[in-house]
Amino acid sequence: MKRLFIVLMICSLSVTLSELHAQNLNKVYGAMAEEDWEVALEELEPILAKKKKSYEAMWLAGICHTKRYRMDKAFELFQESAPLAEELPYYWIPYAEAYLVAERVDDAERTLRRLNPSSLEEQDQADWYALFNKIQNARKYLSNPKDIIIKNLGPNVNTEGNEYSQVVTADQMGIFFTARRSGLGKIADDGENYEMVMTAEMDELDKWKKDKPLDGFSATDANEAPIQLTNGDSTLLTFYDEDLFISYKEADGNWSKREPLPINTNKWDSHAYLYNNGNSMIYASSFGNDEENSDLYIVHKDENGKWSKPYFIEELNTPEREDAPFVAEDGTLYFSSQGHDSMGGYDIFTTRLDSATGKFSEPENMGAPINLPNDDTFFTLYGKNAYLSSSRPDGYGQVDIYRIIMFNKSQLQGKLLDCDNESPVAFAEVKVTTQDGEELTAMTNEYGVYKMTMPIERDFTLTVTKDDEVVYEKVHAIRVLFRDEFDVEQDFYIGCDKVEKDIYVKMINSFDLDPTNVPVEDPSIEGIEPVTEEEEAEELAEEVVAVEEVQEEVTEEEEPEEVEVKAAVVPAVTEETIELPNVFFDFDKHNIKSEFFERLDEAAELLVRRRDLRIMVAGHTDAYGTNPYNVALGERRYTEVYNYLINKGVNPSQLATKTFSEDIPIASNRTVQGRAFNRRVELYFIDENGNKVEY
C-alpha cells in the first residue's frame, strides 16, 4: 500500500508542480502512505476551505473518504476534482475503485475504461489491471449470491464508528469485540480513537443488549482487540499494541495479566487462532516481508510443549494481505485476504489441509453476500451460525458486526384453529408469499394440522383459503433462536388476533443441520374434534343448496300481498349483553396497538353510557424477566389502557387498576403463542368491593 501512494505522490509532483508550490501536500501524502486517512483529511481541511480550491486536494480527500467508507462524500469530491484528470490520468483509478466499493460495478468498469492502460507507466498499468480483475470478480460473485441470511447486530453493538474482531461465548449468548468510536480512549497517531475491547449479551429473543467495556481490557492509550475465546470461555487471546497475548480467567472471575505469545516479533502480529487442542496455532504476521503486508504462518507444539519454528503457508499467501484465520470444528480454515480472486478489499476464503500432501487446498472465495466489494473479515462459524465484520454500505457506521444464518428456510408445523382453540380449520389451503413473489403452499388435514417450508428472518404474507374464501391473511416473520432443542411448532387462529407478527422457532446449532428436513414429532391433536371429508362435503353441499334457494326466492315474480298495518309492539326489555376486551402486547412493550382501539372505544362508550358500572383494568406479563420488572411492566400496561379510557370520557371512579405480573397466566409460558396470550391487560366488571362480577 505504501508503494501505491509513493507512486501517486511522484505522479502528482511531476504533473501538478505549480499547484504544489501553492498548496503543500507533502504531509498529506505522508499520512496516506501510512494509511492514516483521518490525519490526511485533517491536513487537507484548511486547503479545501480556501476559496481557490485545489483539485488535487479534492481528489486526495475523495480517496481518504473512500478508505473510510464515506461514499457520498467521496463521490462528491471526485466529481468536483474532475479537471485534474486532464493532467493526471491516474485520477480515474481511485475514482473507479470508489464505485466498486459502493457495489456499482458497471460504473466502476465504465470509469476505469476512461483510462487507456497503454498510456500509463508500467507500474500504473499493473494497478489498472489489478482493479480491472477485481471488478470482474465482483461481477461474477455478485450475480450469483448464496441465499443465506445476514443481519446487522443492531445499534446496541454497532455505531457510527468501527466495531469488528468479534468472538462469541460458548453458549453464543455473549460477545467480545473491539470498537474504535468517538468517546472511547484517546486519539491515536492515525487520527482515530484507540481500539477498546467491549462486551455485550443477548436477551432471550437473541437481541443484543447495550455493550460495555470488558473489565481488564479497557486500555485507553493503545489498540486492543479480542482474537479468540476458548477452553469454555476461560482463555482469551488478544491483540495489544501490535503483538499477541493470552489471558486466563481466574477463580474470582477476573482475567489474569496478559502473557505474550511466543510468536511475537518486532513487526505487526495481528491475529492468531489456537486449534488441535491448543497444540497448533495459525497466525498472521508481517515479519517476513518488507511491504508490511501480513502473511499466514503455522506453528506446532512438540512433545515437550515447545513451539516449532513458524511455517510460511505458501499456497495461501499472496503479495497482498492475509489475516484473521479461524479453524471451524469440521477442520475448515477460514481467513481474510486482499489477494486471490477478491472483489476489492478483504474477502473471506475457505480451504482445507490435505493430510496426504501436507498442503492446503486452493482457497475458495465464499462469494456474495458474505463477501462484497468492500472489506469483509473476521469470519467465525459455529455450526449454522456465523459472524462477520464488514464495511458494507447498509451498516450503522464504517465497519459493523453481522450475524449470518447459513440457511434461508425452515419447516414449520402446527394447527389452524378457530378462536375456541378446539375447532380445526380442516382442508384449507395455507399459502406463503415472499416479498420477491415466491409462493409455498400446503393443505391442512382433518385436524387442521399443516406442515410446510417457510422463509426465515424476512417478512412474508400468510394466507389461508377455505372454500374459496380467504379466512386469514397477515404478514409474519420467522425469527430463529439457536438453542439446545428443535421447536418449529406454531398454531394459527382464524377469526381472532392471537398471533404476533414475529414467530420464534428454536434450532439446534450443528454443522449437519437441515432445518427443512429434521424429524420432529407431529403436532398434538389432543382435544381436537376432526372434520371428515364426508362432513366437509355435506356442509359444502348444504351451503350450495341454501344459496340456490335464496336465489330462487329473489328471482320469483309474485304479486305483492297486501300487508295489514298493525300497531307497533314495544319489545320486551332484555338484559344487556356486555363483553369487555383483552388487550394484548408485544414482548416487553406497553404501548396499545391500533388494532385494539375499536374494542376499547366500545368499552369506553358503554362506561360513559352506564355510569353504574365499574371495571378492573388488570396488567399481566409473560414469565420472562424478574418479578419486580414484570410487576412494573404490568403497571405500565394497565396505565396505558386506564389513560386511554379516561381520555374517552370514562369517569375515573369507574376504574380500578392492579398489576398481576406473571402470576395469572392464561396459557403456557413454554410456547411462543402461549407467552403472547399472557402479555395482556384484562378488563372485567367488579362490584363496589372490587370483587369480580358477571353481566
Side-chain angles (χ1 to χ4, degrees), residues 133-162:
N133 288 335
K134 291 182 182 297
I135 291 172
Q136 303 316 309
N137 293 335
R139 194 178 299 282
K140 175 177 69 174
Y141 290 120
L142 293 177
S143 64
N144 188 31
K146 298 179 176 66
D147 202 352
I148 57 178
I149 306 300
I150 299 185
K151 300 173 58 180
N152 191 294
L153 263 56
N156 283 339
V157 170
N158 294 315
T159 68
E160 293 181 355
N162 297 277

Side-chain angles (χ1 to χ4, degrees), residues 677-688:
F677 294 154
N678 293 332
R679 299 192 295 266
R680 69 197 190 279
V681 163
E682 284 191 11
L683 305 181
Y684 56 84
F685 295 104
I686 56 174
D687 60 21
E688 62 276 6

Side-chain angles (χ1 to χ4, degrees), residues 96-312:
E97 183 182 5
Y99 278 124
L100 180 59
V101 171
E103 299 179 42
R104 295 167 62 176
V105 181
D106 290 338
D107 288 332
E109 184 166 345
R110 175 183 54 78
T111 302
L112 187 62
R113 288 187 180 276
R114 298 187 69 164
L115 178 60
N116 187 341
S118 63
S119 66
L120 298 172
E121 298 292 332
E122 182 178 348
Q123 188 55 60
D124 293 346
Q125 288 185 23
D127 292 339
W128 191 97
Y129 283 109
L131 181 56
F132 179 81
N133 288 335
K134 291 182 182 297
I135 291 172
Q136 303 316 309
N137 293 335
R139 194 178 299 282
K140 175 177 69 174
Y141 290 120
L142 293 177
S143 64
N144 188 31
K146 298 179 176 66
D147 202 352
I148 57 178
I149 306 300
I150 299 185
K151 300 173 58 180
N152 191 294
L153 263 56
N156 283 339
V157 170
N158 294 315
T159 68
E160 293 181 355
N162 297 277
E163 289 79 26
Y164 50 93
S165 190
Q166 72 289 332
V167 295
V168 299
T169 56
D171 63 3
Q172 299 183 47
M173 300 295 287
I175 191 171
F176 297 167
F177 62 96
T178 198
R180 298 194 80 177
R181 61 171 79 141
S182 178
L184 289 181
K186 300 177 182 178
I187 302 297
D189 291 340
D190 63 2
E192 298 186 65
N193 294 76
Y194 280 110
E195 295 174 338
M196 184 177 289
V197 180
M198 308 294 288
T199 183
E201 295 179 345
M202 277 184 177
D203 64 17
E204 66 277 358
L205 295 180
D206 287 10
K207 291 182 173 60
W208 290 100
K209 302 176 184 178
K210 181 60 184 169
D211 63 10
K212 61 182 180 180
L214 178 63
D215 292 340
F217 297 89
S218 301
T220 60
D221 56 359
N223 286 320
E224 186 165 19
I227 300 300
Q228 183 184 6
L229 190 61
T230 186
N231 293 337
D233 301 340
S234 65
T235 303
L236 179 63
L237 272 64
T238 58
F239 167 88
Y240 179 80
D241 197 19
E242 299 195 356
D243 280 328
L244 298 166
F245 294 82
I246 191 168
S247 301
Y248 302 94
K249 183 168 284 189
E250 299 173 333
D252 60 1
N254 295 320
W255 291 97
S256 67
K257 184 180 178 180
R258 304 178 190 89
E259 300 176 14
L261 292 179
I263 58 173
N264 289 328
T265 68
N266 61 353
K267 300 291 284 292
W268 185 53
D269 306 301
S270 63
H271 206 100
Y273 196 86
L274 286 167
Y275 65 104
N276 189 24
N277 295 321
N279 294 312
S280 300
M281 179 164 49
I282 183 168
Y283 67 98
S285 175
S286 63
F287 84 91
N289 64 70
D290 297 327
E291 299 292 334
E292 297 190 7
N293 288 342
S294 55
D295 293 311
L296 296 180
Y297 298 84
I298 285 182
V299 292
H300 301 285
K301 276 184 181 178
D302 61 21
E303 56 187 13
N304 298 318
K306 183 179 179 180
W307 289 102
S308 66
K309 291 183 178 181
Y311 167 73
F312 179 84

Side-chain angles (χ1 to χ4, degrees), residues 416-435:
L416 265 61
L417 303 169
D418 286 336
C419 289
D420 61 8
N421 204 30
E422 295 178 353
S423 303
V425 181
F427 311 114
E429 181 190 61
V430 184
K431 182 172 71 174
V432 164
T433 306
T434 65
Q435 291 179 322

